[in-house]
């Protein structure tokens, strides 16, 4: 559940000095308007769903039911520096305040909705909560959340893949029906049918197959732009944009996928990348290293990445956010509900589990002509573990050097942008042999 | 607490203490052995196919250098220890390992071990099987589970190259039913007005069943139940233990040292192991599914509401005066249940002591003792059975 998992704002002199792409700025703007509209619709009595990131929200989109994604809400609260207060509430109630912080922000806010008002007017009162049994905690968190609001909780089951076919990124767009194990797709489709009937029954809105198909088509159009942008970045040297540009542009439209706006946003993003290529704009005009970032991004500390661009001409050009948008979402075919089921059958494994993630990282590293990988290992969420040993081994065996950054489990204070920066500097200088730019040396 | 039992108990305790090495005693049976990870592997089916299923458990006393290398910090210490024991060859006699979907970390463990077999097979030569059971209380999950049970039967037949005959199925089911029945009888002795079995003894007796053929366990159990009738009555404040599973008797002994009589628990190495409906050989797939899906809610996989209701009911049955909620570090899911569980128990006048974020090796015994003693004193004036 960590798609948007981000580190809390830190005090770093380098932070937030980033020029952002117009598509990113537009997305932020849109998101505000959209949230206002959600408030308005809810106040007029419309249903409103609170869902976890891995719930097939396309169903809600097709039914025109407004919804809020748990992890997006959490990122908003973190950005507003409200998490401390919210976790104080958790503690008062006897809940832990030091585990699953990102995923439990919704529950924390539910304990005192007034407290959460600072974040864009707070969370409107939901009418249903939906999550998948993706880890041992999330269903409990959603159940408790629903209980606080006195609304129903609808859990969706999750299955475990047994087969490990190769090259998933080549297979899942068209060949998904054969690629995923039949019993898993069948079960997921049943689960979705149950959800649809439940929503129809409780909201009085009828589900439209036609609308779902339209939503799926719009998503394909959107993700095709991401594919094109990804390909452009991969083959252009020096790279036109880095992950500090791409991630903010991609993340919000991904939450809004299935809308015409999201397609437009993706198109604009692609055009901006193309424009940069055409004009010869580059992250590092003297690019000396092309880097890949694996793991949770430091999106509140974008200056962290820029520091290495300046000091070493080292550009972070790949992260899973644009990568998975380009490779993970596309689904072509005639049965939109089954296609949707297949989108959610493999996403976690593709991102988080070897061999899927390791194969994919190697493919991406080769495509982008990556010189080195910086890998931030997730610390305390069992669900988001990625097989760190296997990732490092696979990449190193393929000749791609990896720096593994492990959060210090005992002493969080020891783990800060400074130690992280030093580790990356050491990696660049001693593993990749890159000298700092003379004028940038302290 | 000094409490003694007869010869059968001594036998069971020996097996419990030897754990995986005890298995060697039945070498002459010439049975292939299957290691189970997670407590939701349908052992009835393995037994029907002629296998000897044994449970893989952790060990808080071992170092885990290999686990440290391959697994993540976020993995529960017991799971790390299980992994360590496997890769260090402690279970080299296993024909295969079956892992059930009993918790999130076990799913990851399966993925990691599978990947290990792909890239460094020499470290893990034992083949794996994953049993993807669902615990949600829905018909759709039952249908999914039945298919998985059917698939499991087919896989097991494929391993042995032989069909499981109805007689063998019937026999295995009867043995398992009897085993659970005998363990339930033991539980009755534990919660009786004049209890004859302590918590440590119960944990030992239940645990022993995981490292020996069930037929043998049944035999010893019968003797044990007989002998226990004449054991002295157990004294102490009646306490229910909830939370993380205890793989050895350390915590129970500590509690008993504080004047506690542990009347029950909801973890997999205690009462949860035998609480559930009978399995019926007439409907093997259906009844195995029902047993594993609908028995006492699992700590990791149940909804808060389900678990609270079940524990409150148990606590009432056992006549406990208080409850201790023990959560080991990294056993996060259990902690979300705590506020509701506490409310549920307080509503029936049963106070709860929370022991949170405990280390695997219980290296803070003194601190625990103090907390527990204080708690016991505070509830000693409560009404209820002694
Ligand atoms: S797939 Fe991974 S990153 Fe995405 S929501 Fe699930 S856990 Fe988070
Ligand atoms: S275990 Fe991970 S995915 Fe699950 S609720 Fe906690 S932080 Fe979220």
């Amino acid at each position: 559940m960590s798609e948007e998992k981000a580190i809390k704002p830190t005090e770093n002199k380098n932070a937030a000095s980033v020029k952002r792409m117009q598509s990113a700025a537009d997305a932020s703007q849109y998101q505000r308007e959209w949230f206002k509209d959600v408030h308005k619709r809810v106040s007029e009595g419309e249903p409103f769903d609170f869902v976890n990131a891995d719930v097939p929200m396309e169903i809600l989109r097709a039914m025109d039911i407004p919804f809020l994604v748990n992890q997006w809400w959490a990122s908003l609260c973190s950005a507003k520096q409200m998490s401390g207060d919210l976790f104080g509430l958790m503690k008062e109630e006897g809940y832990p305040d030091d585990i699953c912080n990102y995923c439990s922000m919704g529950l924390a806010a539910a304990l005192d909705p007034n407290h959460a008002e600072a974040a864009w007017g707070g969370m409107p009162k939901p009418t249903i909560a939906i999550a998948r049994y993706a880890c041992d905690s999330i269903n409990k968190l959603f159940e408790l959340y629903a209980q606080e609001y006195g609304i129903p909780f609808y859990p969706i089951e999750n299955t475990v893949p047994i087969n490990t076919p190769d090259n998933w990124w080549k297979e899942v767009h068209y060949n998904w029906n054969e690629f995923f194990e039949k019993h898993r797709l069948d079960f997921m489709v049943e689960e979705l049918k149950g959800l649809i009937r439940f929503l129809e029954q409780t909201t009085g809105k009828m589900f439209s197959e036609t609308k779902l198909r339209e939503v799926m088509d719009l998503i394909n159009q959107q993700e095709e732009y991401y594919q094109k942008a990804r390909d452009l970045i991969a083959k252009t040297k020096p790279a036109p944009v880095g992950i500090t540009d791409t991630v903010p542009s991609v993340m919000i439209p991904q939450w809004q996928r299935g809308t015409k706006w999201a397609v437009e946003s993706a198109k604009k993003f692609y055009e901006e990348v193309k424009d940069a290529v055409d004009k010869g704009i580059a992250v590092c005009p003297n690019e000396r290293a092309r880097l890949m970032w694996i793991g949770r991004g430091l999106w509140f500390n974008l200056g962290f990445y820029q520091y290495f661009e300046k000091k070493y001409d080292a550009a972070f050009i790949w992260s899973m956010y644009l990568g998975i948008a380009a490779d993970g979402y596309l689904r072509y075919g005639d049965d939109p509900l089954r296609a949707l089921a297949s989108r959610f059958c493999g996403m976690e494994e593709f991102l988080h589990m070897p061999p899927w993630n390791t194969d994919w990282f190697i493919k991406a590293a080769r495509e982008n002509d990556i010189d080195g990988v910086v890998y931030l290992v997730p610390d305390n969420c069992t669900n988001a573990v990625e097989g760190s040993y296997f990732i490092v081994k696979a990449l190193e065996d393929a000749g791609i050097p990896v720096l593994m950054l492990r959060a210090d489990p005992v002493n969080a204070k020891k783990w800060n942008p400074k130690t992280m920066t030093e580790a990356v500097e050491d990696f660049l200088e001693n593993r990749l042999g890159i000298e700092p730019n003379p004028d940038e040396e302290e | 607490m000094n409490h003694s039992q007869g010869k059968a108990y001594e036998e069971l305790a020996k097996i419990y203490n030897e754990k995986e090495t005890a298995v060697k005693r039945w070498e002459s049976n010439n049975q292939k052995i299957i290691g189970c990870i997670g407590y939701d592997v349908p052992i009835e089916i393995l037994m029907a196919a002629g296998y000897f299923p044994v449970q893989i458990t952790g060990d808080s006393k071992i170092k885990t250098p290999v686990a440290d290398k391959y697994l993540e910090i976020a993995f529960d210490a017991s799971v790390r220890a299980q992994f360590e024991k496997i890769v260090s060859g402690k279970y080299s006699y296993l024909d295969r390992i079956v892992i059930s979907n009993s918790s999130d970390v076990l799913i990851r463990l399966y993925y990691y071990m599978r990947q290990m077999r792909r890239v460094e097979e020499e470290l893990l030569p034992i083949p794996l099987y994953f049993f993807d059971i669902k615990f949600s209380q829905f018909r759709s999950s039952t249908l999914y589970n039945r298919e998985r049970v059917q698939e499991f039967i087919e896989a097991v037949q494929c391993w042995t190259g032989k069909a499981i005959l109805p007689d063998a199925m019937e026999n295995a089911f009867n043995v398992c039913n009897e085993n659970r029945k005998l363990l339930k009888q033991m539980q009755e002795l534990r919660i009786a007005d004049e209890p004859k079995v302590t918590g440590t003894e119960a944990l030992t007796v239940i645990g022993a069943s995981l490292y020996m053929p069930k037929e043998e366990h049944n035999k010893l159990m019968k003797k044990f139940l007989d002998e226990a009738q004449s054991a002295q009555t157990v004294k102490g404040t009646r306490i229910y233990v909830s939370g993380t599973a205890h793989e050895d008797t350390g915590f129970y002994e500590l509690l008993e040292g504080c004047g506690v009589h542990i009347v029950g628990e909801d973890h997999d190495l205690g009462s949860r192991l035998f609480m559930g409906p009978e399995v019926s050989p007439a409907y093997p797939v259906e009844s195995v599914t029902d047993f594993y899906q609908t028995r006492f809610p699992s700590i990791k996989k149940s909804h808060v509401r389900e678990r609270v209701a079940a524990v409150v009911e148990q606590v009432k049955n056992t006549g406990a005066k208080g409850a201790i909620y023990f959560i080991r570090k990294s056993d996060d899911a259990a902690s979300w249940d705590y506020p509701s569980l506490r409310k549920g128990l307080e509503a029936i006048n049963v106070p709860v002591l929370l022991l949170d974020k405990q280390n695997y090796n219980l290296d803070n015994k003194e601190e625990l003792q103090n907390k527990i003693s204080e708690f016991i004193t505070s509830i000693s004036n409560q009404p209820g059975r002694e």
Side-chain angles (χ1 to χ4, degrees), chain A residues 273-440:
Chain A
V273 174
K274 174 128 191 343
D275 192 49
V277 173
D278 292 344
K279 293 191 174 125
I281 296 170
V283 186
C284 303
N286 299 319
E287 183 177 278
R288 289 188 289 148
R290 294 165 75 84
L291 303 175
M292 188 164 164
W293 178 267
I294 301 182
R296 174 181 68 175
L298 309 178
W299 309 130
F300 291 102
N301 189 1
L302 297 181
F304 173 80
Y305 301 98
Q306 294 191 312
Y307 173 81
F308 304 103
E309 292 166 7
K310 277 180 88 180
K311 187 165 173 186
Y312 294 93
D313 297 318
F316 282 94
I317 62 168
W318 189 95
S319 83
M320 65 171 177
Y321 297 83
L322 177 58
I324 196 70
D327 283 331
Y329 284 80
L330 286 157
R331 292 293 182 278
Y332 302 99
D334 287 334
D335 183 344
L337 196 61
R338 199 166 173 87
L340 175 61
S342 85
R343 177 174 291 151
F344 288 88
C345 252
M347 199 68 90
E348 270 101 24
E349 289 78 24
F350 296 161
L351 287 169
H352 296 304
M353 232 5 95
W356 298 286
N357 63 353
T358 47
D359 291 354
W360 185 54
F361 293 150
I362 290 175
K363 165 221 134 158
R366 297 211 165 114
E367 246 167 28
N368 286 275
D369 200 11
I370 290 293
D371 299 297
V373 175
V374 180
Y375 170 28
L376 180 61
V377 184
D379 40 9
N380 68 359
C381 158
T382 346
N383 190 45
V385 297
E386 289 147 336
S388 56
Y389 170 83
F390 302 104
I391 291 180
V392 175
K393 178 176 163 57
L395 287 163
E396 293 270 359
D397 285 356
I400 307 155
V402 184
L403 166 66
M404 180 154 76
L405 298 175
R406 235 185 230 292
D408 183 334
V410 190
N411 189 350
K413 288 201 183 88
K414 258 168 65 188
W415 188 250
N416 58 33
K418 186 167 172 285
T419 44
M420 223 186 297
T421 304
E422 283 163 7
V424 177
E425 286 184 326
D426 180 64
F427 176 70
L428 291 173
E429 292 180 22
N430 299 320
R431 287 277 328 258
L432 304 189
I434 299 171
E435 294 294 317
N437 280 323
D439 47 335
E440 291 294 332

Side-chain angles (χ1 to χ4, degrees), chain A residues 133 140 143 157 164 387 389, chain B residues 112 118 120 136 303-304 337:
Chain A
Y133 294 102
K140 295 186 192 251
E143 182 194 355
E157 263 298 357
T164 51
Y389 170 83
Chain B
Y112 276 53
R118 290 168 64 99
E120 290 171 8
S136 50
H303 287 202
V304 180
D337 298 345

Side-chain angles (χ1 to χ4, degrees), chain B residues 175-187:
Chain B
V175 171
C176 288
N177 282 334
E178 185 178 20
N179 193 246
R180 289 168 191 144
K181 204 173 94 196
L182 293 167
L183 288 167
K184 282 176 193 159
Q185 288 172 13
M186 188 253 334
Q187 178 64 14

Side-chain angles (χ1 to χ4, degrees), chain B residues 74-109:
Chain B
F75 281 38
D76 171 50
S78 156
V79 169
R80 300 164 71 86
Q82 292 174 47
F83 175 84
E84 190 74 30
K85 282 164 78 178
I86 296 167
V87 293
S88 64
K90 199 134 200 169
Y91 292 104
S92 51
Y93 52 76
L94 293 179
D95 197 49
R96 197 172 290 269
I97 293 175
V98 181
I99 305 174
S100 62
N101 183 0
S102 308
S103 76
D104 191 32
V105 66
L106 290 186
I107 303 177
R108 312 293 139 187
L109 181 71

